[in-house]
Amino acid sequence: MDPSGHAAAMPTEHRFWLRAEGSAASAGLTGAEARRQLLRDGPNVVERLRRPSVLRQILRRLAEPLVLILIAAAAISAATGDMASLVLIALIVAASIGLETWQEHGAEKAAEALRNSIALTVRVLRDGREQSLRAEDIVRGDVVRLAPGNLVPADGVVLAASGAHADEAILTGEPYPVAKRPGPSRAETMADAHDALFAGTSLVSGEATMLVCETGLATVLGTISTDLAADQPPPAFERGLRRLGLLLVRLTLALVLFVLLVQYALHRPVLESFMFAAALAVGLTPELLPMVTTITLARGAVRLAARRVIVKRLAAIHDLGAMDVLCTDKTGTLTEARISLAVALGPDGRDDPAVLALAAVNSALGGSAGNPLDTAILAAAPEAACGWSALAALPFDFERRRASVAASHDGKAMLIVKGAPEAVLAACVAVDGPGGPQPLDAARRAALDVIHEARAAQGERLLGLAWRALPEAPARLAVSDESDLVFAGFCAFLDPPKPSAAEAIERLGQLGVRVKIISGDAAPVVAHLVAQLGLPAGQVLSGEEIARLTDAALRRRVVATRLFARVSPDQKMRIIRALSEAGHTVGFLGDGINDAPAIRAADAGLSVNTATDVARAAADLILLDNDLGVIADGIAEGRRTYANIMKYVRMGTSSNFGNMLSMALASVLVPFLPMTAVQILLNNLLYDASQIGLPLDEVDADDLATPRNWSIAAIERFTAIMGPLSSLFDLSTFAILLLVFHAGAAQFRTAWFVESMLTQLLVVFVIRTRARPWRSRPARALVATSLGACAAALALALGPWAGLFGFAPLPGHLLALVAALAAAYLLLAEALKRHAMGRAHRARHRARSTHAG
């Protein structure tokens, strides 16, 4: 329960206590009955989130638009007899898919190694006697006995209890233990039931006997796990790749149809025209994009592993870098998930060590082992009970809601009572004051209620303390002894924020990531935590309000809202989807079963190694250190990965489009094919080989400063500026070659091939960065691959074997002209790149401003 006494949010409408079937509660089931029930219901196992088989993963990747383009290009190469291109494309596709599948399979194995098993053994009544059985053998109708520290193996109702408190944080997100008692529940939902125990939770104090009513997938835990198996929309990276693939398909079809129509109109040979068009189609295809993408992501996974982050889905690295909204649960992520004593208050609302001393004596001599409230009190005053001796105790029960202990110190006996403030005050007749006990009149009672309400509004849970002097040492205590008490004050408890949380949130803000808190706790608790972290609270949206909102209305509300309180697991998932539909790339960090649906729905689902099995199974990335600062490191790595992928996309699409556009135009203006199919494919092969070093390239600080996400419009704009620029120089080369030098077909093709390769391979150093090329040093690997490909191109076109590829020797003055044109192109590209990139940058900024509303 939260400090205000309300139950935390939990999956609703799961009325399992109405389904208790066929059990004699006193003796449990017989062995024969249990075997029949096991055959009907199956083992008590919550299926973990099933991952597709390796074959299914491969087939899914083969169905991606970019891969389908490559497969089509391979088929065209095979039909035209270009076996080299066929083998190359096949190797690229196989290597890319194989590497990605291997990486994700390895990450799954690493995540599985982190699994904290809850399937141990439990004490069960079978055949009238207590037996120790495996949790998976539990069936409906079994009677299970639980002691402090035991994990609850299934969902059920409480038949008997003695001081039982359950930790349900993994389901509710609420750190405070929930008292459990027997009796028919009048609750409409599980969230209100105190006679219910849930699979995966644990007993922290007392003892309980429960009747099992649901097992396996029928439990709350199982229901959430089943929901996770539903298909989810593709995350941001996959959506971007698909849009890019569709863009390339449109460009390819347009150019190929244009060329075929022109060749047909000019009555060119059909076979030669078809092969030229097929080569254009292959030339427009960025064959290495899957390889560059996979290698870049895999390198990011290795770097994140060094930061103690397990990457289960490679594309999640990009999504982490693109993330501009991080939603997080409160308990265990922003807080310690460990209750601590905030303050001990006297009746006047001021700090009073005497109240803490009384509480420590009660907890030390009469508290419940494992109860986190008693543990917190003793941690705050470990020596306070020294010198005290226990005389008698009256344990906590649900009717009195108090725990009492009679203790002696220096020969004087005293009764010390601790419990719910209203229950303790009901037994008081006086209150401590400066001059001694004062009558507890209406005014003093009202003043104490004000203190209680004010502290509860700050997210604290309060216990009341009272005492009474005893005339003699009692042999035992009775309920009637809890009377005529003097109210001493309150002990206030908090789940404190992590010391690193505020700094991490500030760092995320500097990276352009807005943090939103989604919690099952009450609004005052969440608001108080936010105040402690130094964040502006703003508007709070509650689960009750969310339930009344349509999806469209929720999309409008979630963008401006930072705090979400008292939300259920399905509402967390609705919030994530609403933010995504509003144009944001969303991450979610959680560790409980109630967080798993939201983790799965997020673009970047994050969990921690101490999380529940279901939460870890749903996550894309697992943090081995439960620290938001690690996420900031991961964001930087994601942006580095994205920057290098986008370098290839920008260069590949603009360069390929420019070259193919030039060839399409040349097919109209030039009386012969401007390049043969073999020369086109050779051009494309050398260009792709030059980009192999891109995954290892350095990244500018500007690329790490703000969220980066796919923008097909930005890619189109960049291509529309830089592609035609390349074509302009190509057309200039055509004109000079034909009108000035009157070059023949072979010499024309050779000169253009050299000019095309020089401009394509050297422009990488210009457009890989927004800065001046000499101020942003490329990685040595990129320098080696680019200059190496350039040298190979010159050797193939101008060397002794040039005739094998249809090339002809070029005179020195023509080579000098080609070099001058290439240099002019690089200078103009440097001048225009800021315009192309700047427009993309401003468009992204405008889009983000629009989404922020």
Side-chain angles (χ1 to χ4, degrees):
M1 296 178 67
D2 64 23
S4 62
H6 297 292
M10 186 181 292
T12 58
E13 305 304 327
H14 192 89
R15 305 182 185 183
F16 65 90
W17 52 86
L18 300 179
R19 296 186 56 193
E21 302 173 4
S23 174
S26 59
L29 300 174
T30 65
E33 290 172 333
R35 286 190 292 273
R36 286 195 297 269
Q37 193 70 43
L38 187 63
L39 289 174
R40 282 195 295 266
D41 296 342
N44 179 35
V45 175
V46 175
E47 290 187 68
R48 280 165 271 157
L49 186 60
R50 288 186 176 179
R51 296 288 176 180
S53 65
V54 172
L55 178 60
R56 188 171 179 181
Q57 291 181 51
I58 292 174
L59 292 175
R60 177 177 60 82
R61 292 185 174 99
L62 285 173
E64 291 294 325
L66 275 174
V67 177
L68 290 175
I69 292 174
L70 292 179
I71 293 173
I76 292 172
S77 299
T80 57
D82 182 12
M83 301 310 295
S85 295
L86 171 64
V87 172
L88 173 66
I89 294 173
L91 288 175
I92 288 171
V93 171
S96 175
I97 292 177
L99 180 59
E100 188 172 357
T101 303
W102 175 80
Q103 160 66 26
E104 294 190 7
H105 179 69
E108 284 291 341
K109 291 178 65 177
E112 182 67 17
L114 294 173
R115 183 170 182 263
N116 297 321
S117 175
I118 61 171
L120 302 175
T121 58
V122 291
R123 294 182 296 152
V124 185
L125 288 179
R126 288 271 180 93
D127 296 317
R129 61 186 180 85
E130 185 177 298
Q131 303 179 38
S132 181
L133 298 177
R134 295 183 305 171
E136 65 184 65
D137 295 329
I138 301 301
V139 298
R140 282 189 294 139
D142 267 326
V143 174
V144 176
R145 288 179 174 170
L146 301 169
N150 286 167
L151 289 164
V152 180
D155 287 356
V157 292
V158 179
L159 299 177
S162 174
H165 289 76
D167 178 0
E168 297 178 345
I170 63 169
L171 286 176
T172 66
E174 170 58 64
Y176 297 104
V178 180
K180 297 296 178 181
R181 60 177 179 266
S185 174
R186 297 178 182 176
E188 294 185 0
T189 69
M190 297 170 64
D192 304 316
H194 286 274
D195 65 337
L197 286 164
F198 311 116
T201 64
S202 62
L203 209 66
V204 296
S205 65
E207 295 182 344
T209 301
M210 68 174 285
L211 173 65
V212 175
C213 301
E214 298 289 4
T215 61
L217 294 177
T219 62
V220 176
L221 189 154
T223 300
I224 294 175
S225 181
T226 300
D227 290 343
L228 293 177
D231 290 336
Q232 300 287 340
F237 184 76
E238 294 180 13
R239 294 196 301 268
L241 274 181
R242 289 180 183 179
R243 289 197 296 268
L244 177 61
L246 294 175
L247 170 64
L248 293 175
V249 168
R250 291 196 298 270
L251 285 176
T252 301
L253 289 176
L255 279 179
V256 168
L257 288 175
F258 173 77
V259 168
L260 285 175
L261 288 174
V262 168
Q263 297 296 308
Y264 177 77
L266 295 175
H267 305 289
R268 301 274 173 81
V270 175
L271 180 60
E272 186 179 63
S273 298
F274 173 77
M275 292 183 66
F276 180 73
L280 275 182
V282 176
L284 264 175
T285 304
E287 292 98 336
L288 281 189
L289 180 56
M291 176 68 80
V292 168
T293 298
T294 303
I295 292 176
T296 307
L297 291 172
R299 182 171 182 258
V302 172
R303 292 169 67 107
L304 282 179
R307 291 176 167 85
R308 294 177 56 75
V309 177
I310 291 178
V311 179
K312 294 173 57 184
R313 182 175 62 85
L314 276 180
I317 299 175
H318 160 272
D319 297 336
L320 189 62
M323 179 178 69
D324 61 330
V325 174
L326 172 64
C327 298
T328 176
D329 185 28
K330 177 182 72 70
T331 304
T333 52
L334 296 177
T335 69
E336 297 281 3
R338 174 183 53 81
I339 297 170
S340 66
L341 181 73
V343 66
L345 303 170
D348 57 359
R350 298 178 181 177
D351 192 359
D352 190 343
V355 176
L356 176 57
L358 289 175
V361 174
N362 181 288
S363 295
L365 303 182
S368 300
N371 187 301
L373 299 178
D374 286 326
T375 301
I377 290 171
L378 294 175
E383 307 296 332
C386 293
W388 287 83
S389 301
L391 302 175
L394 197 61
F396 178 91
D397 68 43
F398 294 101
E399 298 298 327
R400 297 164 33 251
R401 300 172 65 201
R402 301 185 293 259
S404 299
V405 62
S408 65
H409 184 264
D410 292 337
K412 296 180 180 179
M414 177 184 287
L415 177 67
I416 304 173
V417 180
K418 174 176 98 268
E422 58 272 21
V424 173
L425 282 167
C428 293
V429 296
V431 59
D432 272 332
Q438 305 292 324
L440 182 59
D441 54 23
R444 292 188 176 94
R445 176 60 188 262
L448 293 172
D449 289 341
V450 169
I451 295 172
H452 185 189
E453 292 171 3
R455 305 301 298 199
Q458 295 180 20
E460 297 175 349
R461 178 173 181 174
L462 269 64
L463 289 180
L465 271 297
W467 62 275
R468 177 167 67 87
L470 298 174
E472 58 183 19
R476 63 184 185 85
L477 288 176
V479 174
S480 58
D481 293 322
E482 296 176 330
S483 59
D484 300 326
L485 302 177
V486 178
F487 189 77
F490 302 97
C491 282
F493 301 87
L494 268 179
D495 181 16
K498 291 184 175 180
S500 61
E503 180 183 353
I505 289 176
E506 181 180 0
R507 185 180 171 195
L508 289 169
Q510 293 171 350
L511 289 169
V513 179
R514 191 179 186 195
V515 177
K516 296 178 183 287
I517 300 174
I518 306 177
S519 176
D521 282 344
V525 178
V526 182
H528 181 72
L529 173 67
V530 167
Q532 287 183 297
L533 295 174
L535 294 175
Q539 182 184 14
V540 181
L541 191 61
S542 69
E544 184 179 352
E545 294 174 285
I546 292 172
R548 296 195 297 265
L549 294 176
T550 64
D551 289 343
L554 182 61
R555 279 197 299 273
R556 292 191 293 270
R557 294 285 299 275
V558 294
V559 175
T561 303
R562 183 184 290 273
L563 305 181
F564 300 86
R566 191 70 72 197
V567 293
S568 63
D570 63 315
Q571 288 173 339
K572 291 183 180 183
M573 186 165 58
R574 281 190 68 198
I575 292 168
I576 299 301
R577 288 179 173 171
L579 285 166
S580 181
E581 291 167 2
H584 292 276
T585 302
V586 188
F588 185 87
L589 172 63
D591 60 356
I593 294 171
N594 63 327
D595 297 321
I599 292 172
R600 181 84 191 286
D603 292 302
L606 300 113
S607 192
V608 293
N609 66 323
T610 56
T612 61
D613 185 44
V614 176
R616 290 198 311 275
D620 301 312
L621 303 105
I622 298 176
L623 313 181
L624 299 183
D625 295 321
N626 194 352
D627 185 357
L628 285 178
V630 177
I631 297 179
D633 293 335
I635 288 172
E637 192 57 52
R639 292 177 185 175
R640 179 180 289 106
T641 299
Y642 170 77
N644 282 338
I645 291 174
M646 289 309 298
K647 289 175 187 178
Y648 179 84
V649 170
R650 283 199 302 263
M651 290 186 288
T653 54
S654 62
S655 179
N656 285 0
F657 175 71
N659 274 347
M660 299 308 112
L661 179 62
S662 299
M663 290 185 191
L665 294 174
S667 67
V668 178
L669 303 174
V670 179
F672 46 80
L673 288 178
M675 272 193 201
T676 65
V678 171
Q679 291 167 350
I680 292 175
L681 294 173
L682 184 61
N683 179 301
N684 203 42
L685 172 62
L686 288 171
Y687 175 76
D688 282 337
S690 74
Q691 306 300 297
I692 292 175
L694 261 183
L696 305 176
D697 194 22
E698 301 297 332
V699 174
D700 296 341
D702 179 63
D703 289 320
L704 305 179
T706 56
R708 308 282 178 176
N709 208 338
W710 284 95
S711 173
I712 296 302
I715 295 172
E716 289 174 340
R717 281 190 293 271
F718 187 88
T719 302
I721 293 173
M722 304 306 290
L725 174 65
S726 173
S727 295
L728 177 63
F729 276 84
D730 287 337
L731 293 176
S732 300
T733 304
F734 297 166
I736 294 173
L737 289 173
L738 292 176
L739 301 178
V740 177
F741 292 97
H742 306 289
Q747 196 175 60
F748 178 97
R749 291 165 179 164
T750 306
W752 185 32
F753 179 86
V754 171
E755 184 263 351
S756 175
M757 293 308 302
L758 287 176
T759 54
Q760 283 187 95
L761 298 178
L762 296 179
V763 79
V764 62
F765 301 111
V766 173
I767 62 177
R768 59 168 290 277
T769 174
R770 296 175 187 272
R772 300 294 184 188
W774 54 88
R775 292 179 179 172
S776 176
R777 299 180 61 181
R780 292 180 180 178
L782 181 60
V783 173
T785 56
S786 296
L787 296 185
C790 191
L794 294 176
L796 290 172
L798 305 176
W801 41 74
L804 296 176
F805 302 99
F807 295 126
L810 296 179
H813 61 279
L814 187 53
L815 277 175
L817 174 66
V818 169
L821 286 171
Y825 167 74
L826 294 176
L827 290 174
L828 193 54
E830 172 63 23
L832 285 179
K833 75 175 183 183
R834 289 173 179 77
H835 180 56
M837 294 182 180
R839 289 178 62 185
H841 177 73
R842 289 193 296 273
R844 182 169 54 250
H845 177 74
R846 285 195 301 270
R848 182 164 292 109
S849 299
T850 301
H851 295 325

